[in-house]
Structure formats: structure tokens, C-alpha cells
Amino acid sequence: QLYGEQQAIMAAAQGPGMPVIAADGSQYPTYVTVSGLCLLAALPPAEADAIIGAADLSTFVPGAVSGADELKLDVAHARAGSIVVDRGRADPAYGCVARVWDIEGLSTPMSLSILGPLVRIDTEMELCETLLTAATAPGADRLSIMTAVTSGAG
């Protein structure tokens, strides 16, 4: 969820063997994660660009982000409804896949993401995309998500 220029983790589920990376209630600058960039997609473009323009790019792994334009491109993709991918920007061992989560009747920007070891994100990308697309669809429920997974990438 978006709080000014910070994102807050509202709920995190930890898989087996995964260290706790983002706990419930944790806050980070929005530009640090693709989930945060999805939140910026809900802002007016000039406001999102200003936040990214002031970003401390030293937060990222050296060479992982070419500059603010790369982050702005991710926001543009999220704004267009695309899934946004981070392949080890903040930590070379981890990747993240995120999408804007537009919940009907909720005015607060939200995003949904899958975070995990980069090798798993890369090898399971199709499944990640299927899960995020199904889970963020209007009216999604457990059955519709499972049906998408079993008939799609699963």
C-alpha cells in the first residue's frame, strides 16, 4: 500500500526455506521494488516521475539499474496493465514479479507481487505471470485462480 513516497507491506506469506525478507508492516521507498513501482503507476505521471527522479540509485546492486528512465519505463508498463519484473536489482539472489491490483471500490493503490530466489522466479516465470494475472482479475477467488493455474502454466 502507498503511504506518501513509501510503500508498506500489508501481508507477506513466507514459503518453505525462505528467509523473512519483507515482513507485514515493513516500509520501503516506492522505487526500490517493482511492487512499489506498480503503486507509483496509480499516481499522476508527473508525481511518479518526481519521486523516481529523486531516487537514490545507490540502493540497487551496482549496474542493476541503468538509471531513472529504466524505473519510469517499469511504471509505464505497470500503468498499461503489464507485469513488471525485477531480476535482482536490490539483491542479486532474489527476484520479484508484480502487478497493479485494482480492487473495485478501493481508492488506495495496491499491488500484488511474488518474491523469491531469482533462479525460481526465472524458471517459474510463466506460472508467476499466470498467478498474478488470475489473482488481480476483477472478481478473482480461490477457484478462479486455481482454474487459471491448472489450465495455464501449471
Side-chain angles (χ1 to χ4, degrees):
Q1 187 170 358
L2 192 59
Y3 287 102
E5 295 182 12
Q6 297 280 312
Q7 62 177 309
I9 308 302
M10 300 309 292
Q14 181 181 347
M18 279 287 295
V20 175
I21 296 171
D24 295 359
S26 300
Q27 290 191 16
Y28 305 94
T30 50
Y31 61 83
V32 171
T33 68
V34 290
S35 186
L37 293 174
C38 286
L39 295 175
L40 290 179
L43 298 177
E47 190 176 339
D49 287 354
I51 292 170
I52 292 170
D56 176 8
L57 298 182
S58 70
T59 304
F60 299 105
V61 171
V65 176
S66 61
D69 287 344
E70 181 179 339
L71 301 178
K72 289 177 185 178
L73 186 60
D74 281 346
V75 171
H77 286 142
R79 202 173 269 132
S82 297
I83 290 171
V84 186
V85 181
D86 167 1
R87 288 187 166 86
R89 286 178 177 165
D91 183 326
Y94 295 96
C96 187
V97 185
R99 185 164 194 209
V100 172
W101 192 8
D102 187 16
I103 302 172
E104 187 176 332
L106 186 66
S107 61
T108 303
M110 301 289 278
S111 64
L112 188 63
S113 62
I114 299 170
L115 171 71
L118 183 56
V119 65
R120 292 287 307 275
I121 294 292
D122 279 342
T123 58
E124 303 286 346
M125 184 59 71
E126 186 179 352
L127 177 58
C128 290
E129 290 175 348
T130 299
L131 278 168
L132 285 176
T133 300
T136 58
D141 59 19
R142 192 176 291 175
L143 178 60
S144 66
I145 294 167
M146 292 307 298
T147 300
V149 169
T150 57
S151 65

